[in-house]
Amino acid sequence: MTTPDESVHARLDRLRRDRGLLTPAELLDLAEHGVAVLDPFSVIVSRQVEIGPDNVLHPGVVIECDERSHCSIGPGNVLYGGTRIAATDGGRVTVGARSLIGDGGTRILAGAHESITIGDEVRLTNGAEVLGDSLLGHGSQILGGISARSVELGAGLPYTYPDPDGRGGVLKGFGRVSGALVGTGEVLGDSDDLGDYEPGRQRLYHPEAPRLGPGPTLERLTAEHAGRVLAFERDNRGFFADSVPDRGNEYFTPDGFADRHRALLAEQAEGRCHFHVVLNSYGRIVGRVNLVDVADGSAELGYRVAEADTGQGVGRAAVEQVLRLAAGAYGLSSLTAVSSPDNEASRALLLRTGFTEAGERSVDDRKVIAYHRVL
């Protein structure tokens, strides 16, 4: 209830606080963290929302998140007027870095137990709508009035990259699409019934564009990789924890990670392990593949691929390359590996690269399936 001497601003502040929203003054205070809110009176942001530095929120942006849900916005994004992001009833929305969202209006809505993950340098424009359980990989785009439910767009470089084969997957045009998988360098669109069409190559629309690179490659781990490796592990921490034990909070601190990285390099220098980062053809770390416990001509293989880059052959390409290194430069004669019984993708990859099952065993009180390969 208002009081006679209550100012308009005080009433507005009270209304927002009652609904779990930041007040205009609190929105302006975000500038201390590098967030530019261009019109704090028309921008609506819930208190539960996590906003990184260097974001720009244009007039009319709405980011809502109830107490049961999670919504985080990474650094360096631009959210244009007409953007509405909402996570309700246990939904989850995660936006990466340096994306352009909402030029012409965009809705990103995660309902009960749904999860929407948007990678880095994504572009969503002109009425795009993202619903359900959706994964929009780095550099992907939805252009136009498309309602996309439970889609997966492959990760790549942003739309400014000159080689279309390396760009993230694209949905383009208008209509509805559900359950679509659009790979790196692919585009699905220009139809009012997108479900009836298979993705095509973006290169068909840019035939004169340059071709700039092959598939993923390995680099032996060095001190110079430290910052990028930490970012890779942080970005994928939750995803990796679904299949392997979490590394613990200390690992993700600057000092904790630096100590661990130095220890790995020391083990590698002694010949006890061989560590590698997996780079896509445009230089971004998309995975790691390692050979550990080297002894008597054998070692154990371990690998992990970024969530946004799964299902694109990255893991298989990396394993095949490390197999050649193991048999050649490293002089090994056999490898072992383990996988949890419910990690079907990992088990299939090992079988496709020549490993055979060698029974079950227990690792850290977890039942795993062992694999073996003669080189």
Side-chain angles (χ1 to χ4, degrees):
M1 188 174 78
T2 62
T3 60
D5 58 348
E6 188 177 31
S7 70
V8 171
H9 290 305
R11 290 169 61 188
L12 176 60
D13 288 351
R14 178 170 54 80
L15 287 171
R16 292 204 181 195
R17 290 193 183 101
D18 289 346
R19 288 161 177 77
L21 305 172
L22 296 177
T23 67
E26 290 171 328
L27 288 170
L28 285 177
D29 287 343
L30 293 176
E32 296 178 5
H33 306 285
V35 179
V37 180
L38 303 184
D39 179 4
F41 292 99
S42 68
V43 171
I44 302 295
V45 177
S46 295
R47 294 185 178 278
Q48 285 77 22
V49 176
E50 300 173 5
I51 302 180
D54 302 321
N55 283 288
V56 178
L57 277 59
H58 282 255
V61 168
V62 176
I63 311 175
E64 298 175 296
C65 182
D66 64 31
E67 293 181 352
R68 298 172 53 198
S69 305
H70 175 84
C71 183
S72 64
I73 311 296
N77 300 286
V78 178
L79 276 58
Y80 292 97
T83 297
R84 181 179 177 225
I85 300 173
T88 58
D89 298 325
R92 186 179 186 91
V93 175
T94 304
V95 177
R98 301 178 303 282
S99 291
L100 303 176
I101 298 176
D103 189 4
T106 289
R107 299 203 311 165
I108 303 167
L109 309 177
H113 309 298
E114 293 173 337
S115 178
I116 296 174
T117 299
I118 296 173
D120 300 341
E121 298 179 298
V122 170
R123 188 165 64 142
L124 307 175
T125 69
N126 296 325
E129 181 179 63
V130 185
L131 308 168
D133 288 302
S134 291
L135 174 61
L136 278 56
H138 303 312
S140 60
Q141 304 176 73
I142 301 180
L143 309 176
I146 296 173
S147 179
R149 178 177 291 277
S150 299
V151 300
E152 181 173 341
L153 305 185
L157 274 291
Y159 72 98
T160 54
Y161 191 73
D163 182 352
D165 292 327
R167 298 175 190 165
V170 176
L171 290 175
K172 180 180 180 182
F174 60 95
R176 297 182 179 182
V177 60
S178 179
L181 174 61
V182 182
T184 303
E186 292 184 341
V187 57
L188 175 64
D190 294 326
S191 167
D192 59 355
D193 191 0
L194 294 165
D196 288 344
Y197 288 78
E198 292 293 325
R201 299 300 300 175
Q202 295 179 38
R203 179 166 291 279
L204 293 175
Y205 299 90
H206 309 281
E208 303 303 320
R211 299 179 184 271
L212 298 180
T217 57
L218 302 189
E219 286 187 3
R220 192 167 170 87
L221 188 68
T222 69
E224 286 70 30
H225 290 126
R228 286 187 292 160
V229 170
L230 177 56
F232 167 83
E233 294 289 346
R234 279 177 172 167
D235 290 346
N236 295 280
R237 183 179 183 181
F239 174 64
F240 292 151
D242 288 339
S243 55
V244 295
D246 184 72
R247 296 184 184 275
N249 292 334
E250 179 64 20
Y251 175 89
F252 295 94
T253 66
D255 290 341
F257 179 83
D259 290 342
R260 178 59 179 155
H261 198 74
R262 283 192 293 268
L264 294 181
L265 294 177
E267 290 181 36
Q268 181 168 259
E270 294 169 2
R272 293 186 287 142
C273 300
H274 303 288
F275 301 106
H276 313 84
V277 293
V278 184
L279 305 176
N280 66 8
S281 53
Y282 312 102
R284 182 169 58 83
I285 293 180
V286 294
R288 301 177 69 181
V289 59
N290 303 320
L291 300 173
V292 301
D293 297 332
V294 176
D296 301 322
S298 184
E300 181 171 332
L301 169 72
Y303 56 88
R304 51 179 55 192
V305 175
E307 181 178 14
D309 297 280
T310 57
Q312 300 176 46
V314 172
R316 181 170 183 174
V319 170
E320 288 175 344
Q321 290 182 58
V322 87
L323 290 176
R324 292 192 289 270
L325 284 172
Y330 301 152
L332 302 177
S333 56
S334 66
L335 295 178
T336 62
V338 297
S339 178
S340 61
D342 57 354
N343 193 338
E344 296 181 1
S346 178
R347 294 173 59 193
L349 189 156
L350 290 169
L351 293 174
R352 286 197 298 268
T353 52
F355 284 79
T356 57
E357 290 192 14
E360 295 182 353
R361 72 185 206 202
S362 179
V363 175
D364 297 328
D365 297 323
R366 296 183 303 120
K367 185 177 75 172
V368 298
I369 299 176
Y371 292 83
H372 182 263
R373 190 188 193 283
V374 176
L375 300 174

